[in-house]
Amino acid sequence: MNAEETAAYFSQLLKETDSDDMKGFIERLPDEIGTFHIMEKRSSQGISYFDWHINFFQDISVEMRGNWGIPSVQFIFFTREGMEWGFLENKNTVCAGKGELCVYKSSGLTSVGIYRGGSDFCCQSVQVPVSLFERLLDSYFNDRERRLLFLLLTGVTTMPITPRMRLILTELGSLSTDTDTAANSAMGLYLEGKLPELLSECLSQMLSGGNSAPHNPDISRTERENLLNIRQRIDSSFSDTLSLEQLAREAGMSVSKLTRGFRDMSGMSVHSYIIDKRLEHAALLLAEGRLNVSQTALACGYSNMSHFSSAFKKKYGVLPREYAG
């Protein structure tokens, strides 16, 4: 099968497979398209931990329909390498790097993931049913924190994997798959404690803006929430012309305070962040092959092809036409 046929076959198989039968899904994959190993451990509450090892023999983009599986909050840990993917309905694009965590709510959105051929792709993920996630928030977080977390889940939140997260992931990955009843009982008890511990660390980082550096004391809690609103606004409208003055008005702060606060929270300037989001989305569109280079540039807010090509090569090391293949 060529790359297009492989992608179509993989996506069709996903449509035909129950989300609770990942083992059966893997067993149905033919050896000619790649090697796959997915380990799942599930708590009694319904929280699932996955350890993914995937190697496609050629570059493909895999489409997963929005109604596949139950609505859930996804925590994806890219401990060894990054990945590019996006959502067809809202044009939200994600380019996660090595050492980053992505959090989003998967309910009704069709995602397209880009896998590089011949490359071992490994990551870990935790899947929490939305109904359970809401109960956890009601039990452990105050009204302000719940509002902020739900706001963040309207898009995709990316943040560094902390040392504590990495330690817990290592511990989860070392759990035995022994079929002995006593061993499984002990493993289940351990799992019940470790998964909530991991979620607690992730949610704490989300509430702090995903930045382990000390917060700017000049930025109040309300202003920090407004800055998170601005970041979500950019994530969903990166192709629009967004001026600093306009964003500052929306945030209710001065341009200088917006600039300083946004850099403290995101690690880059507002302008750099917008450019980064545009280029990430461009890479996804080019990999999908649905648009040519000129159409991709326009879809991502570029009217000048020279500027687009130059910015793209600076980020990815190749020209857009070379990336598209």
Side-chain angles (χ1 to χ4, degrees):
M1 288 187 283
N2 59 32
E4 189 173 327
E5 291 170 336
T6 298
Y9 176 83
F10 197 89
S11 297
Q12 182 61 36
L13 194 56
L14 278 173
K15 293 178 183 178
E16 298 171 355
T17 304
D18 188 288
S19 61
D20 286 333
D21 186 24
M22 290 304 297
K23 184 172 184 247
F25 171 71
I26 293 300
E27 289 174 350
R28 294 175 62 188
L29 292 172
D31 294 339
E32 64 185 272
I33 71 172
T35 58
F36 310 92
H37 173 70
I38 301 175
M39 179 183 67
E40 178 185 5
K41 300 183 177 96
R42 186 174 300 188
S43 76
S44 61
Q45 290 181 300
I47 303 174
S48 294
Y49 165 81
F50 293 92
D51 193 349
W52 305 82
H53 294 262
I54 298 173
N55 189 327
F56 284 101
F57 293 153
Q58 50 194 324
D59 292 357
I60 74 163
S61 61
V62 176
E63 186 173 305
M64 184 180 292
R65 71 186 191 279
N67 61 351
W68 191 78
I70 61 173
S72 60
V73 178
Q74 302 277 351
F75 297 78
I76 307 180
F77 304 86
F78 296 96
T79 51
R80 293 176 54 178
E81 60 268 299
M83 182 182 177
E84 300 166 17
W85 83 92
F87 301 95
L88 296 184
E89 290 83 358
N90 61 11
K91 299 192 304 181
N92 201 347
T93 305
V94 184
C95 185
K98 177 182 178 181
E100 289 189 325
L101 158 68
C102 288
V103 185
Y104 66 97
K105 183 166 66 174
S106 61
S107 54
L109 296 179
T110 300
S111 64
V112 179
I114 307 301
Y115 294 88
R116 299 298 170 196
S119 173
D120 288 322
F121 173 75
C122 305
C123 74
Q124 295 79 44
S125 67
V126 173
Q127 184 182 93
V128 187
V130 169
S131 56
L132 172 59
F133 185 79
E134 292 173 347
R135 292 199 301 272
L136 291 173
L137 293 193
D138 288 342
S139 298
Y140 297 105
F141 294 88
N142 61 39
D143 289 343
R144 183 196 66 81
E145 292 169 334
R146 286 198 300 272
R147 285 196 301 271
L148 181 54
L149 287 169
F150 280 122
L151 169 66
L152 291 170
L153 289 175
T154 61
V156 180
T157 297
T158 304
M159 69 193 81
I161 296 174
T162 67
R164 187 180 175 204
M165 291 179 202
R166 198 176 291 275
L167 174 62
I168 299 171
L169 289 169
T170 300
E171 293 170 337
L172 287 170
S174 66
L175 287 179
S176 172
T177 55
D178 198 323
T179 56
D180 178 76
T181 302
N184 276 337
S185 298
M187 183 186 78
L189 185 61
Y190 190 82
L191 197 66
E192 298 297 328
K194 281 300 172 183
L195 286 176
E197 184 181 349
L198 181 60
L199 292 178
S200 173
E201 175 69 6
C202 294
L203 296 177
S204 295
Q205 286 299 306
M206 289 176 70
L207 289 171
S208 69
N211 192 337
S212 57
H215 298 331
N216 186 337
D218 295 331
I219 301 293
S220 69
R221 176 178 292 179
T222 298
E223 288 171 332
R224 190 165 190 83
E225 291 179 16
N226 290 342
L227 286 168
L228 287 169
N229 280 328
I230 292 300
R231 191 167 69 181
Q232 294 295 324
R233 164 93 155 85
I234 294 172
D235 287 348
S236 60
S237 310
F238 55 82
S239 60
D240 298 340
T241 301
L242 301 171
S243 68
L244 280 174
E245 290 76 14
Q246 176 187 351
L247 294 174
R249 284 195 299 271
E250 293 181 17
M253 58 181 68
S254 67
V255 170
S256 60
K257 197 161 196 176
L258 169 71
T259 302
R260 291 196 306 272
F262 194 92
R263 184 182 290 277
D264 286 345
M265 181 180 67
S266 302
M268 62 179 71
S269 69
V270 175
H271 177 71
S272 296
Y273 188 82
I274 292 173
I275 296 301
D276 218 47
K277 295 301 293 184
R278 288 179 174 180
L279 294 175
E280 287 173 3
H281 189 61
L284 182 70
L285 293 177
L286 291 170
E288 288 177 358
R290 303 185 184 189
L291 301 178
N292 62 32
V293 173
S294 298
Q295 292 169 328
T296 296
L298 290 173
C300 296
Y302 282 93
S303 57
N304 186 305
M305 281 299 301
S306 176
H307 289 169
F308 172 62
S309 295
S310 176
F312 193 94
K313 185 171 183 180
K314 183 177 179 181
K315 179 174 176 64
Y316 291 103
V318 295
L319 292 170
R321 65 174 181 274
E322 297 169 332
Y323 190 91

PDB file of all heavy atoms in Angstrom, residues 165-200:
ATOM      1  N   MET A 165       6.129  14.872  36.954  1.00  0.00           N
ATOM      2  CA  MET A 165       5.351  14.122  35.963  1.00  0.00           C
ATOM      3  C   MET A 165       6.190  12.994  35.381  1.00  0.00           C
ATOM      4  O   MET A 165       5.725  11.859  35.236  1.00  0.00           O
ATOM      5  CB  MET A 165       4.894  15.039  34.824  1.00  0.00           C
ATOM      6  CG  MET A 165       3.870  16.083  35.158  1.00  0.00           C
ATOM      7  SD  MET A 165       3.510  17.071  33.674  1.00  0.00           S
ATOM      8  CE  MET A 165       2.851  18.571  34.417  1.00  0.00           C
ATOM      9  N   ARG A 166       7.427  13.312  35.037  1.00  0.00           N
ATOM     10  CA  ARG A 166       8.308  12.322  34.406  1.00  0.00           C
ATOM     11  C   ARG A 166       8.552  11.136  35.342  1.00  0.00           C
ATOM     12  O   ARG A 166       8.569   9.981  34.913  1.00  0.00           O
ATOM     13  CB  ARG A 166       9.625  12.980  34.004  1.00  0.00           C
ATOM     14  CG  ARG A 166      10.442  12.203  32.984  1.00  0.00           C
ATOM     15  CD  ARG A 166      11.675  12.985  32.598  1.00  0.00           C
ATOM     16  NE  ARG A 166      11.351  14.160  31.828  1.00  0.00           N
ATOM     17  CZ  ARG A 166      11.179  14.169  30.514  1.00  0.00           C
ATOM     18  NH1 ARG A 166      11.289  13.047  29.828  1.00  0.00           N
ATOM     19  NH2 ARG A 166      10.897  15.289  29.877  1.00  0.00           N
ATOM     20  N   LEU A 167       8.717  11.430  36.629  1.00  0.00           N
ATOM     21  CA  LEU A 167       8.935  10.365  37.605  1.00  0.00           C
ATOM     22  C   LEU A 167       7.717   9.444  37.695  1.00  0.00           C
ATOM     23  O   LEU A 167       7.851   8.212  37.685  1.00  0.00           O
ATOM     24  CB  LEU A 167       9.240  10.967  38.973  1.00  0.00           C
ATOM     25  CG  LEU A 167       9.363   9.981  40.138  1.00  0.00           C
ATOM     26  CD1 LEU A 167      10.511   9.013  39.894  1.00  0.00           C
ATOM     27  CD2 LEU A 167       9.559  10.727  41.455  1.00  0.00           C
ATOM     28  N   ILE A 168       6.527  10.043  37.758  1.00  0.00           N
ATOM     29  CA  ILE A 168       5.304   9.231  37.859  1.00  0.00           C
ATOM     30  C   ILE A 168       5.102   8.404  36.594  1.00  0.00           C
ATOM     31  O   ILE A 168       4.702   7.232  36.653  1.00  0.00           O
ATOM     32  CB  ILE A 168       4.076  10.132  38.121  1.00  0.00           C
ATOM     33  CG1 ILE A 168       4.241  10.888  39.446  1.00  0.00           C
ATOM     34  CG2 ILE A 168       2.793   9.301  38.163  1.00  0.00           C
ATOM     35  CD1 ILE A 168       3.191  11.959  39.673  1.00  0.00           C
ATOM     36  N   LEU A 169       5.388   8.974  35.428  1.00  0.00           N
ATOM     37  CA  LEU A 169       5.268   8.232  34.175  1.00  0.00           C
ATOM     38  C   LEU A 169       6.222   7.033  34.156  1.00  0.00           C
ATOM     39  O   LEU A 169       5.867   5.947  33.678  1.00  0.00           O
ATOM     40  CB  LEU A 169       5.550   9.152  32.989  1.00  0.00           C
ATOM     41  CG  LEU A 169       4.492  10.213  32.684  1.00  0.00           C
ATOM     42  CD1 LEU A 169       5.017  11.211  31.660  1.00  0.00           C
ATOM     43  CD2 LEU A 169       3.208   9.566  32.174  1.00  0.00           C
ATOM     44  N   THR A 170       7.425   7.232  34.659  1.00  0.00           N
ATOM     45  CA  THR A 170       8.387   6.126  34.737  1.00  0.00           C
ATOM     46  C   THR A 170       7.857   5.018  35.640  1.00  0.00           C
ATOM     47  O   THR A 170       7.961   3.826  35.321  1.00  0.00           O
ATOM     48  CB  THR A 170       9.738   6.631  35.262  1.00  0.00           C
ATOM     49  OG1 THR A 170      10.245   7.629  34.370  1.00  0.00           O
ATOM     50  CG2 THR A 170      10.749   5.498  35.357  1.00  0.00           C
ATOM     51  N   GLU A 171       7.268   5.417  36.757  1.00  0.00           N
ATOM     52  CA  GLU A 171       6.710   4.437  37.679  1.00  0.00           C
ATOM     53  C   GLU A 171       5.530   3.690  37.063  1.00  0.00           C
ATOM     54  O   GLU A 171       5.399   2.466  37.206  1.00  0.00           O
ATOM     55  CB  GLU A 171       6.287   5.132  38.976  1.00  0.00           C
ATOM     56  CG  GLU A 171       7.467   5.683  39.766  1.00  0.00           C
ATOM     57  CD  GLU A 171       7.047   6.579  40.917  1.00  0.00           C
ATOM     58  OE1 GLU A 171       5.923   7.123  40.870  1.00  0.00           O
ATOM     59  OE2 GLU A 171       7.839   6.739  41.859  1.00  0.00           O
ATOM     60  N   LEU A 172       4.680   4.406  36.342  1.00  0.00           N
ATOM     61  CA  LEU A 172       3.534   3.757  35.683  1.00  0.00           C
ATOM     62  C   LEU A 172       4.015   2.803  34.589  1.00  0.00           C
ATOM     63  O   LEU A 172       3.476   1.704  34.421  1.00  0.00           O
ATOM     64  CB  LEU A 172       2.602   4.813  35.090  1.00  0.00           C
ATOM     65  CG  LEU A 172       1.749   5.616  36.072  1.00  0.00           C
ATOM     66  CD1 LEU A 172       1.069   6.775  35.363  1.00  0.00           C
ATOM     67  CD2 LEU A 172       0.705   4.722  36.728  1.00  0.00           C
ATOM     68  N   GLY A 173       5.037   3.208  33.855  1.00  0.00           N
ATOM     69  CA  GLY A 173       5.548   2.372  32.775  1.00  0.00           C
ATOM     70  C   GLY A 173       6.215   1.103  33.264  1.00  0.00           C
ATOM     71  O   GLY A 173       6.318   0.115  32.521  1.00  0.00           O
ATOM     72  N   SER A 174       6.652   1.110  34.515  1.00  0.00           N
ATOM     73  CA  SER A 174       7.331  -0.064  35.044  1.00  0.00           C
ATOM     74  C   SER A 174       6.374  -1.063  35.681  1.00  0.00           C
ATOM     75  O   SER A 174       6.804  -2.122  36.135  1.00  0.00           O
ATOM     76  CB  SER A 174       8.376   0.358  36.084  1.00  0.00           C
ATOM     77  OG  SER A 174       7.746   0.912  37.223  1.00  0.00           O
ATOM     78  N   LEU A 175       5.079  -0.743  35.718  1.00  0.00           N
ATOM     79  CA  LEU A 175       4.120  -1.663  36.318  1.00  0.00           C
ATOM     80  C   LEU A 175       4.090  -2.975  35.553  1.00  0.00           C
ATOM     81  O   LEU A 175       4.066  -3.001  34.323  1.00  0.00           O
ATOM     82  CB  LEU A 175       2.709  -1.052  36.329  1.00  0.00           C
ATOM     83  CG  LEU A 175       2.460   0.071  37.334  1.00  0.00           C
ATOM     84  CD1 LEU A 175       1.044   0.578  37.210  1.00  0.00           C
ATOM     85  CD2 LEU A 175       2.725  -0.406  38.745  1.00  0.00           C
ATOM     86  N   SER A 176       4.042  -4.071  36.261  1.00  0.00           N
ATOM     87  CA  SER A 176       4.051  -5.399  35.646  1.00  0.00           C
ATOM     88  C   SER A 176       2.714  -5.699  34.996  1.00  0.00           C
ATOM     89  O   SER A 176       1.663  -5.233  35.429  1.00  0.00           O
ATOM     90  CB  SER A 176       4.358  -6.451  36.712  1.00  0.00           C
ATOM     91  OG  SER A 176       4.188  -7.752  36.186  1.00  0.00           O
ATOM     92  N   THR A 177       2.759  -6.493  33.925  1.00  0.00           N
ATOM     93  CA  THR A 177       1.527  -6.989  33.295  1.00  0.00           C
ATOM     94  C   THR A 177       1.308  -8.445  33.688  1.00  0.00           C
ATOM     95  O   THR A 177       0.652  -9.209  32.987  1.00  0.00           O
ATOM     96  CB  THR A 177       1.623  -6.872  31.759  1.00  0.00           C
ATOM     97  OG1 THR A 177       2.797  -7.563  31.319  1.00  0.00           O
ATOM     98  CG2 THR A 177       1.683  -5.426  31.333  1.00  0.00           C
ATOM     99  N   ASP A 178       1.873  -8.840  34.811  1.00  0.00           N
ATOM    100  CA  ASP A 178       1.757 -10.211  35.321  1.00  0.00           C
ATOM    101  C   ASP A 178       0.295 -10.622  35.419  1.00  0.00           C
ATOM    102  O   ASP A 178      -0.562  -9.844  35.847  1.00  0.00           O
ATOM    103  CB  ASP A 178       2.404 -10.274  36.713  1.00  0.00           C
ATOM    104  CG  ASP A 178       2.729 -11.708  37.135  1.00  0.00           C
ATOM    105  OD1 ASP A 178       1.935 -12.601  36.807  1.00  0.00           O
ATOM    106  OD2 ASP A 178       3.775 -11.895  37.788  1.00  0.00           O
ATOM    107  N   THR A 179      -0.017 -11.824  34.994  1.00  0.00           N
ATOM    108  CA  THR A 179      -1.400 -12.300  35.034  1.00  0.00           C
ATOM    109  C   THR A 179      -1.769 -12.883  36.396  1.00  0.00           C
ATOM    110  O   THR A 179      -2.923 -13.228  36.634  1.00  0.00           O
ATOM    111  CB  THR A 179      -1.631 -13.394  33.967  1.00  0.00           C
ATOM    112  OG1 THR A 179      -0.682 -14.457  34.174  1.00  0.00           O
ATOM    113  CG2 THR A 179      -1.456 -12.822  32.579  1.00  0.00           C
ATOM    114  N   ASP A 180      -0.799 -13.016  37.299  1.00  0.00           N
ATOM    115  CA  ASP A 180      -1.090 -13.536  38.629  1.00  0.00           C
ATOM    116  C   ASP A 180      -2.073 -12.616  39.351  1.00  0.00           C
ATOM    117  O   ASP A 180      -1.927 -11.391  39.334  1.00  0.00           O
ATOM    118  CB  ASP A 180       0.215 -13.621  39.430  1.00  0.00           C
ATOM    119  CG  ASP A 180      -0.033 -14.109  40.848  1.00  0.00           C
ATOM    120  OD1 ASP A 180      -0.249 -15.320  41.028  1.00  0.00           O
ATOM    121  OD2 ASP A 180      -0.021 -13.249  41.752  1.00  0.00           O
ATOM    122  N   THR A 181      -3.096 -13.186  39.983  1.00  0.00           N
ATOM    123  CA  THR A 181      -4.154 -12.405  40.604  1.00  0.00           C
ATOM    124  C   THR A 181      -3.620 -11.473  41.676  1.00  0.00           C
ATOM    125  O   THR A 181      -3.975 -10.285  41.723  1.00  0.00           O
ATOM    126  CB  THR A 181      -5.217 -13.333  41.222  1.00  0.00           C
ATOM    127  OG1 THR A 181      -5.728 -14.172  40.220  1.00  0.00           O
ATOM    128  CG2 THR A 181      -6.342 -12.514  41.825  1.00  0.00           C
ATOM    129  N   ALA A 182      -2.759 -11.963  42.544  1.00  0.00           N
ATOM    130  CA  ALA A 182      -2.210 -11.133  43.615  1.00  0.00           C
ATOM    131  C   ALA A 182      -1.392  -9.976  43.044  1.00  0.00           C
ATOM    132  O   ALA A 182      -1.484  -8.844  43.508  1.00  0.00           O
ATOM    133  CB  ALA A 182      -1.349 -11.983  44.546  1.00  0.00           C
ATOM    134  N   ALA A 183      -0.604 -10.273  42.018  1.00  0.00           N
ATOM    135  CA  ALA A 183       0.210  -9.229  41.394  1.00  0.00           C
ATOM    136  C   ALA A 183      -0.685  -8.174  40.762  1.00  0.00           C
ATOM    137  O   ALA A 183      -0.427  -6.973  40.867  1.00  0.00           O
ATOM    138  CB  ALA A 183       1.136  -9.837  40.343  1.00  0.00           C
ATOM    139  N   ASN A 184      -1.748  -8.616  40.086  1.00  0.00           N
ATOM    140  CA  ASN A 184      -2.664  -7.678  39.462  1.00  0.00           C
ATOM    141  C   ASN A 184      -3.386  -6.836  40.496  1.00  0.00           C
ATOM    142  O   ASN A 184      -3.669  -5.655  40.274  1.00  0.00           O
ATOM    143  CB  ASN A 184      -3.674  -8.419  38.597  1.00  0.00           C
ATOM    144  CG  ASN A 184      -3.121  -8.722  37.212  1.00  0.00           C
ATOM    145  OD1 ASN A 184      -2.207  -8.054  36.770  1.00  0.00           O
ATOM    146  ND2 ASN A 184      -3.666  -9.728  36.561  1.00  0.00           N
ATOM    147  N   SER A 185      -3.724  -7.425  41.629  1.00  0.00           N
ATOM    148  CA  SER A 185      -4.394  -6.679  42.691  1.00  0.00           C
ATOM    149  C   SER A 185      -3.490  -5.577  43.221  1.00  0.00           C
ATOM    150  O   SER A 185      -3.922  -4.439  43.423  1.00  0.00           O
ATOM    151  CB  SER A 185      -4.791  -7.623  43.834  1.00  0.00           C
ATOM    152  OG  SER A 185      -5.708  -8.596  43.379  1.00  0.00           O
ATOM    153  N   ALA A 186      -2.216  -5.919  43.444  1.00  0.00           N
ATOM    154  CA  ALA A 186      -1.262  -4.929  43.926  1.00  0.00           C
ATOM    155  C   ALA A 186      -1.052  -3.831  42.888  1.00  0.00           C
ATOM    156  O   ALA A 186      -0.969  -2.643  43.216  1.00  0.00           O
ATOM    157  CB  ALA A 186       0.071  -5.608  44.260  1.00  0.00           C
ATOM    158  N   MET A 187      -0.966  -4.244  41.608  1.00  0.00           N
ATOM    159  CA  MET A 187      -0.779  -3.272  40.537  1.00  0.00           C
ATOM    160  C   MET A 187      -1.971  -2.329  40.455  1.00  0.00           C
ATOM    161  O   MET A 187      -1.827  -1.113  40.289  1.00  0.00           O
ATOM    162  CB  MET A 187      -0.601  -3.984  39.192  1.00  0.00           C
ATOM    163  CG  MET A 187      -0.328  -3.035  38.023  1.00  0.00           C
ATOM    164  SD  MET A 187      -0.300  -3.891  36.431  1.00  0.00           S
ATOM    165  CE  MET A 187      -2.058  -4.104  36.127  1.00  0.00           C
ATOM    166  N   GLY A 188      -3.182  -2.896  40.602  1.00  0.00           N
ATOM    167  CA  GLY A 188      -4.382  -2.070  40.538  1.00  0.00           C
ATOM    168  C   GLY A 188      -4.427  -1.048  41.643  1.00  0.00           C
ATOM    169  O   GLY A 188      -4.785   0.123  41.417  1.00  0.00           O
ATOM    170  N   LEU A 189      -4.031  -1.435  42.848  1.00  0.00           N
ATOM    171  CA  LEU A 189      -4.006  -0.523  43.980  1.00  0.00           C
ATOM    172  C   LEU A 189      -2.995   0.596  43.738  1.00  0.00           C
ATOM    173  O   LEU A 189      -3.253   1.763  44.036  1.00  0.00           O
ATOM    174  CB  LEU A 189      -3.663  -1.297  45.257  1.00  0.00           C
ATOM    175  CG  LEU A 189      -3.708  -0.510  46.568  1.00  0.00           C
ATOM    176  CD1 LEU A 189      -5.117   0.025  46.811  1.00  0.00           C
ATOM    177  CD2 LEU A 189      -3.275  -1.403  47.728  1.00  0.00           C
ATOM    178  N   TYR A 190      -1.839   0.214  43.201  1.00  0.00           N
ATOM    179  CA  TYR A 190      -0.792   1.204  42.897  1.00  0.00           C
ATOM    180  C   TYR A 190      -1.291   2.188  41.845  1.00  0.00           C
ATOM    181  O   TYR A 190      -1.091   3.403  41.944  1.00  0.00           O
ATOM    182  CB  TYR A 190       0.441   0.462  42.401  1.00  0.00           C
ATOM    183  CG  TYR A 190       1.678   1.325  42.274  1.00  0.00           C
ATOM    184  CD1 TYR A 190       2.475   1.603  43.376  1.00  0.00           C
ATOM    185  CD2 TYR A 190       2.044   1.855  41.042  1.00  0.00           C
ATOM    186  CE1 TYR A 190       3.617   2.386  43.267  1.00  0.00           C
ATOM    187  CE2 TYR A 190       3.177   2.638  40.920  1.00  0.00           C
ATOM    188  CZ  TYR A 190       3.963   2.900  42.035  1.00  0.00           C
ATOM    189  OH  TYR A 190       5.082   3.680  41.919  1.00  0.00           O
ATOM    190  N   LEU A 191      -1.979   1.662  40.824  1.00  0.00           N
ATOM    191  CA  LEU A 191      -2.506   2.484  39.747  1.00  0.00           C
ATOM    192  C   LEU A 191      -3.517   3.498  40.277  1.00  0.00           C
ATOM    193  O   LEU A 191      -3.537   4.658  39.844  1.00  0.00           O
ATOM    194  CB  LEU A 191      -3.163   1.581  38.695  1.00  0.00           C
ATOM    195  CG  LEU A 191      -3.435   2.171  37.310  1.00  0.00           C
ATOM    196  CD1 LEU A 191      -2.136   2.484  36.593  1.00  0.00           C
ATOM    197  CD2 LEU A 191      -4.263   1.188  36.485  1.00  0.00           C
ATOM    198  N   GLU A 192      -4.380   3.055  41.218  1.00  0.00           N
ATOM    199  CA  GLU A 192      -5.406   3.931  41.775  1.00  0.00           C
ATOM    200  C   GLU A 192      -4.785   5.147  42.463  1.00  0.00           C
ATOM    201  O   GLU A 192      -5.395   6.218  42.508  1.00  0.00           O
ATOM    202  CB  GLU A 192      -6.261   3.167  42.790  1.00  0.00           C
ATOM    203  CG  GLU A 192      -7.029   1.980  42.236  1.00  0.00           C
ATOM    204  CD  GLU A 192      -8.061   2.352  41.181  1.00  0.00           C
ATOM    205  OE1 GLU A 192      -8.628   3.460  41.270  1.00  0.00           O
ATOM    206  OE2 GLU A 192      -8.277   1.557  40.262  1.00  0.00           O
ATOM    207  N   GLY A 193      -3.573   4.979  42.981  1.00  0.00           N
ATOM    208  CA  GLY A 193      -2.922   6.100  43.642  1.00  0.00           C
ATOM    209  C   GLY A 193      -2.109   6.970  42.699  1.00  0.00           C
ATOM    210  O   GLY A 193      -2.089   8.197  42.829  1.00  0.00           O
ATOM    211  N   LYS A 194      -1.441   6.345  41.723  1.00  0.00           N
ATOM    212  CA  LYS A 194      -0.521   7.078  40.854  1.00  0.00           C
ATOM    213  C   LYS A 194      -1.227   7.942  39.809  1.00  0.00           C
ATOM    214  O   LYS A 194      -0.772   9.032  39.487  1.00  0.00           O
ATOM    215  CB  LYS A 194       0.445   6.106  40.174  1.00  0.00           C
ATOM    216  CG  LYS A 194       1.590   5.647  41.062  1.00  0.00           C
ATOM    217  CD  LYS A 194       2.418   6.837  41.521  1.00  0.00           C
ATOM    218  CE  LYS A 194       3.439   6.447  42.566  1.00  0.00           C
ATOM    219  NZ  LYS A 194       4.199   7.624  43.051  1.00  0.00           N
ATOM    220  N   LEU A 195      -2.325   7.454  39.241  1.00  0.00           N
ATOM    221  CA  LEU A 195      -3.007   8.238  38.207  1.00  0.00           C
ATOM    222  C   LEU A 195      -3.552   9.558  38.764  1.00  0.00           C
ATOM    223  O   LEU A 195      -3.353  10.614  38.153  1.00  0.00           O
ATOM    224  CB  LEU A 195      -4.114   7.407  37.554  1.00  0.00           C
ATOM    225  CG  LEU A 195      -3.620   6.319  36.587  1.00  0.00           C
ATOM    226  CD1 LEU A 195      -4.780   5.491  36.064  1.00  0.00           C
ATOM    227  CD2 LEU A 195      -2.843   6.931  35.432  1.00  0.00           C
ATOM    228  N   PRO A 196      -4.251   9.564  39.921  1.00  0.00           N
ATOM    229  CA  PRO A 196      -4.676  10.849  40.485  1.00  0.00           C
ATOM    230  C   PRO A 196      -3.507  11.769  40.827  1.00  0.00           C
ATOM    231  O   PRO A 196      -3.601  12.987  40.682  1.00  0.00           O
ATOM    232  CB  PRO A 196      -5.448  10.435  41.753  1.00  0.00           C
ATOM    233  CG  PRO A 196      -5.928   9.060  41.472  1.00  0.00           C
ATOM    234  CD  PRO A 196      -4.820   8.423  40.674  1.00  0.00           C
ATOM    235  N   GLU A 197      -2.384  11.179  41.263  1.00  0.00           N
ATOM    236  CA  GLU A 197      -1.202  11.984  41.568  1.00  0.00           C
ATOM    237  C   GLU A 197      -0.688  12.680  40.303  1.00  0.00           C
ATOM    238  O   GLU A 197      -0.312  13.866  40.326  1.00  0.00           O
ATOM    239  CB  GLU A 197      -0.111  11.090  42.152  1.00  0.00           C
ATOM    240  CG  GLU A 197       1.128  11.846  42.602  1.00  0.00           C
ATOM    241  CD  GLU A 197       2.203  10.931  43.155  1.00  0.00           C
ATOM    242  OE1 GLU A 197       1.921   9.733  43.393  1.00  0.00           O
ATOM    243  OE2 GLU A 197       3.342  11.423  43.339  1.00  0.00           O
ATOM    244  N   LEU A 198      -0.683  11.947  39.190  1.00  0.00           N
ATOM    245  CA  LEU A 198      -0.247  12.523  37.920  1.00  0.00           C
ATOM    246  C   LEU A 198      -1.197  13.622  37.470  1.00  0.00           C
ATOM    247  O   LEU A 198      -0.766  14.703  37.040  1.00  0.00           O
ATOM    248  CB  LEU A 198      -0.155  11.421  36.860  1.00  0.00           C
ATOM    249  CG  LEU A 198       0.305  11.856  35.467  1.00  0.00           C
ATOM    250  CD1 LEU A 198       1.698  12.478  35.511  1.00  0.00           C
ATOM    251  CD2 LEU A 198       0.300  10.656  34.508  1.00  0.00           C
ATOM    252  N   LEU A 199      -2.510  13.372  37.568  1.00  0.00           N
ATOM    253  CA  LEU A 199      -3.495  14.376  37.172  1.00  0.00           C
ATOM    254  C   LEU A 199      -3.378  15.632  38.027  1.00  0.00           C
ATOM    255  O   LEU A 199      -3.499  16.759  37.528  1.00  0.00           O
ATOM    256  CB  LEU A 199      -4.908  13.806  37.276  1.00  0.00           C
ATOM    257  CG  LEU A 199      -5.270  12.696  36.288  1.00  0.00           C
ATOM    258  CD1 LEU A 199      -6.679  12.194  36.553  1.00  0.00           C
ATOM    259  CD2 LEU A 199      -5.141  13.178  34.854  1.00  0.00           C
ATOM    260  N   SER A 200      -3.130  15.455  39.316  1.00  0.00           N
ATOM    261  CA  SER A 200      -2.984  16.595  40.217  1.00  0.00           C
ATOM    262  C   SER A 200      -1.830  17.489  39.788  1.00  0.00           C
ATOM    263  O   SER A 200      -1.954  18.720  39.749  1.00  0.00           O
ATOM    264  CB  SER A 200      -2.757  16.089  41.647  1.00  0.00           C
ATOM    265  OG  SER A 200      -2.443  17.163  42.507  1.00  0.00           O
TER     266      SER A 200
END
